[in-house]
Structure formats: structure tokens, C-alpha cells
Amino acid sequence: MMLDKVKKMMADVEVFKTTSKDEIEAFRIKYLGSKGLLKELFNEFKTVDASMKKDLGQALNKLRNAASTKVQELNESLENTQETKSFYGDLTRPSEPIELGARHPISIVRNRIIEVFSKIGFTVSEGPEIEDDWHNFTALNLPEYHPARDMQDTFFIEKDPDVLLRTHTSSVQVRYMENNEPPIRTISPGRVFRNEDISARAHCIFHQVEGLYIDTDVSFADLKQTLLYFTKEMFGKSKIRLRPSYFPFTEPSAEVDIYWGLETEVDYKITKGTGWLEIMGCGMVDPNVLKNANIDPEKYTGYAFGMGIERIAMLLYQIPDIRMFYENDVRFLEQFKSII
Ligand code: PHE
């Protein structure tokens, strides 16, 4: 019976599924093409008995609609999946390498110094960059008109001599002594400011790490051992010398040189042919400084030291010009990518 045949085709159309463009086209030609099944059926329809025409006509129309809806639906879903595909790209493709940032060499060296000192019990202390006269100078045994104030040319803020940019992080140590009881073991990393001409070797803004150790019976020998430990850990060098020097806040005071060696041409150049390199200042905290911070100098003694981070970074990475640290040229910064 023709009606049964149509119903069977209807079921076939309904279950038909594909994601191939070619198969959709073949389906369309099979049912709806000019020589397709529906064409054939409609031709046959003309010959059937009039009593059958109503049901059969309806069934044929349904079949034709179902076939053309099917073609439309399949094409639409094909377009959608193609869109999705182009939106996500090829999900199986290997990913682009992720660009990693680099830590700034100043941060790398500062972190390393902190690591070395924290192993022997030093804490990290910080303080304000804008300071008052007391914490930057007076408490450090540098009263007004003391000639040693000229050792560090100062930036003052708005002509007020009591508001200035700290010239060293010794100011942090004064604050630390004021707020903590001995024993004290702390290092103070931070940015400092000096009114100096900018050149390859000097800048008006740079970074320091200063250290302070206060307890009963702290001696110069303790200072020397600590410095030796530091130079071994930091540079892998174990020969140092202390040259007498002067700082208002320490007595006695010394400058620390490390024996860098004279193995390469660069060694020769940076040590000016001597093999020795100056890396920091140090000394025993002057009793006046302890007194100023309400620490009893009869009971306690201590040592202090201070170094410039830029100088150490320049030595470690053989950076020829201090200005490179502040220009943020990515070609320079990129070179520190693999270093933590
Ligand atoms: N504060 C000194 C400076 O900035 C460094 C220093 C610190 C020297 C502690 C001796 C002791 O140059």
C-alpha cells in the first residue's frame, strides 16, 4: 500500500542524522530532488483512487515538509558547529609558550641578602622613605652643623629642614631600637636618596641593606665573623679585610673589602688591578646612638653595617652602568629571567 510506504519513509526521514555536508546533500536529492522520491510519489498520487486521495495527500505533504525541515535543521547545526570550531580554534594544537616575566636584578640581590642573613637569625625591618632629622641624622650622632652631614647630600622637602628623604636606611634602625628591646638582630633593606650627580657609578636614588646587632657582650670579632659568613655565602669568597674608616654612628668604624681575585680581565678592571673590592661600611654602634634610642650602653653593645644593593648587583652580574637598573629596558631585564 502506498500509504504504508509513505509512513515508512516518514520514519526514515525522522531518524536521519548526519554531520557531513555531502550526506545532507545526498539526502536532499534523494527525497526532494527533481527526480527524487517525493516527485515519484506525487506522480503516483495522481493515479490512486479518489477515496484514498485525502489521507495520502496529507501524508505526502507531511513527508515533504519533514524532509525539507530536516535538511534545513542539519545544515543549521552544521554551520553552528563550524562557528564553534573557528571560535575555539584547533583544540588539539600545542599551546603557545607562556611569556614569563623576570624579577628585577635589585630584587634578586635584595632577596638573596635577606636569605643569607635570615639564616643566622636576622629579621627584616622597614621604615618610611620620608624621614625627619632625628631619625636620619641627630639620633645617629650627627647633630646639627656636624660636618659629617655633608658626607651624604640630602634632599629636603619644601625647604623644611625637618622633612627629608632618607639618605640611608640607618634611620630604620633608629626606629627599630626605639621600639624593640635588645637582643636585636635586624636588617633594613630599602630605597635611599642622595643629592648626587648621576653617572655610570652613582645615582641619586639607590638601594641599601643595613644590618644591626645589639646584645650583651657583642664584640668586633662577632662583626668580623658575620661579615665573613656573608661574603662566603653571597660571593663564594672567603678572604676579607677591614680598613679603618669613619662613620659618626659607629666607633670604631671600618670599610670592608673582599678579595675578588685577579683571574680574568674583568677582575682586573673592577678591582683596578688590586684584586680587592670595597663592598660595605661597618663598625661598633657608638654608645651615643644607643643612648639616643634609650638602650643602656653600659649593658649592651652592638655592631652595624651597611651596603649598596646596586653595587653588589653590578659586581655579581657585571653590569657596567648603574643607570641600567632604572631605565626598565626589557632587553636588559629579560636577561634575569632564569634567576629566582
Ligand atoms: N649608613 C652608612 C651609609 O649609608 C653605612 C653604614 C651603616 C656604615 C652602618 C657603618 C655602619 O653609608
Side-chain angles (χ1 to χ4, degrees):
M1 265 262 302
M2 195 174 164
L3 192 59
D4 290 338
K5 201 159 81 179
V6 173
K7 278 187 179 151
K8 165 127 201 336
M9 275 185 204
M10 186 69 184
D12 288 346
V13 166
E14 266 165 6
V15 298
F16 181 74
K17 246 193 211 153
T18 181
T19 52
S20 138
K21 210 171 167 58
D22 290 346
E23 281 177 26
I24 299 172
E25 184 58 7
F27 174 89
R28 189 189 66 78
I29 291 166
K30 180 179 168 194
Y31 286 95
L32 304 164
S34 54
K35 290 176 190 150
L37 291 171
L38 275 151
K39 190 84 184 169
E40 257 174 45
L41 290 168
F42 274 107
N43 283 339
E44 215 179 317
F45 174 75
K46 290 175 195 156
T47 65
V48 299
D49 192 88
S51 65
M52 308 273 291
K53 276 212 160 123
K54 192 176 167 222
D55 287 350
L56 194 57
Q58 272 175 0
L60 278 176
N61 279 331
K62 252 193 196 159
L63 180 63
R64 188 176 54 194
N65 289 342
S68 66
T69 313
K70 191 70 167 193
V71 171
Q72 211 180 326
E73 277 172 8
L74 287 175
N75 276 329
E76 268 171 19
S77 78
L78 197 67
E79 271 165 31
N80 283 343
T81 54
Q82 270 168 352
E83 256 173 40
T84 341
K85 244 191 200 163
S86 62
F87 180 73
Y88 284 112
D90 175 1
L91 294 176
T92 62
R93 205 188 60 200
S95 64
E96 295 278 339
I98 298 164
E99 273 286 323
L100 286 182
R103 240 183 244 296
H104 194 282
I106 297 293
S107 302
I108 296 169
V109 173
R110 183 201 52 213
N111 292 349
R112 177 80 188 115
I113 297 171
I114 291 174
E115 196 184 313
V116 170
F117 280 107
S118 54
K119 276 194 208 160
I120 52 170
F122 281 78
T123 60
V124 175
S125 48
E126 288 183 337
E129 293 181 342
I130 299 175
E131 262 301 357
D132 52 34
D133 183 278
W134 171 257
H135 292 99
N136 197 79
F137 291 127
T138 305
L140 288 160
N141 209 23
L142 275 149
E144 216 183 336
Y145 305 122
H146 192 290
R149 285 198 178 200
D150 293 342
M151 285 166 80
Q152 302 172 354
D153 285 320
T154 311
F155 285 115
F156 293 95
I157 294 179
E158 291 182 3
K159 297 204 172 91
D160 181 349
D162 198 35
V163 188
L164 49 90
L165 296 178
R166 66 182 179 196
T167 58
H168 49 190
T169 56
S170 304
S171 56
V172 181
Q173 310 193 322
V174 175
R175 287 178 183 277
Y176 196 88
M177 284 188 282
E178 286 171 346
N179 296 315
N180 295 275
E181 298 274 312
I184 288 172
R185 270 179 229 144
T186 189
I187 51 169
S188 317
R191 194 158 58 154
V192 300
F193 308 83
R194 290 185 197 175
N195 195 354
E196 275 172 29
D197 288 340
I198 296 170
S199 71
R201 308 212 57 81
H203 209 285
C204 57
I205 301 177
F206 60 100
H207 299 76
Q208 283 191 323
V209 176
E210 296 218 354
L212 178 71
Y213 190 116
I214 297 173
D215 204 343
T216 50
D217 303 319
V218 179
S219 72
F220 204 92
D222 298 322
L223 169 60
K224 199 174 162 190
Q225 282 309 309
T226 306
L227 297 175
L228 198 57
Y229 158 78
F230 171 71
T231 49
K232 272 187 197 162
E233 289 281 311
M234 192 74 196
F235 306 101
K237 313 267 180 192
S238 51
K239 207 160 125 188
I240 61 170
R241 73 179 180 197
L242 299 169
R243 276 180 295 108
S245 183
Y246 172 75
F247 297 102
F249 26 87
T250 46
E251 183 59 35
S253 305
E255 224 110 28
V256 184
D257 296 344
I258 55 175
Y259 189 70
W260 194 258
L262 277 175
E263 274 157 41
T264 67
E265 218 174 297
V266 178
D267 292 348
Y268 207 87
K269 212 176 126 193
I270 59 176
T271 68
K272 301 197 183 88
T274 65
W276 291 96
L277 269 180
E278 183 197 317
I279 50 154
M280 64 172 118
C282 68
M284 301 305 291
V285 181
D286 193 293
N288 283 336
V289 175
L290 296 177
K291 240 185 273 167
N292 288 339
N294 301 321
I295 293 174
D296 181 0
E298 299 297 324
K299 196 170 166 200
Y300 294 107
T301 48
Y303 62 73
F305 55 86
M307 65 193 107
I309 301 182
E310 277 80 352
R311 180 164 167 74
I312 291 175
M314 286 167 87
L315 289 175
L316 286 175
Y317 304 123
Q318 307 197 342
I319 296 164
D321 191 320
I322 197 169
R323 288 168 288 201
M324 290 175 137
F325 290 119
Y326 318 112
E327 282 162 358
N328 285 330
D329 184 331
V330 285
R331 290 168 303 179
F332 171 71
L333 297 173
E334 257 172 7
Q335 299 177 74
F336 300 94
K337 262 186 188 168
S338 58
I339 313 170
I340 312 292

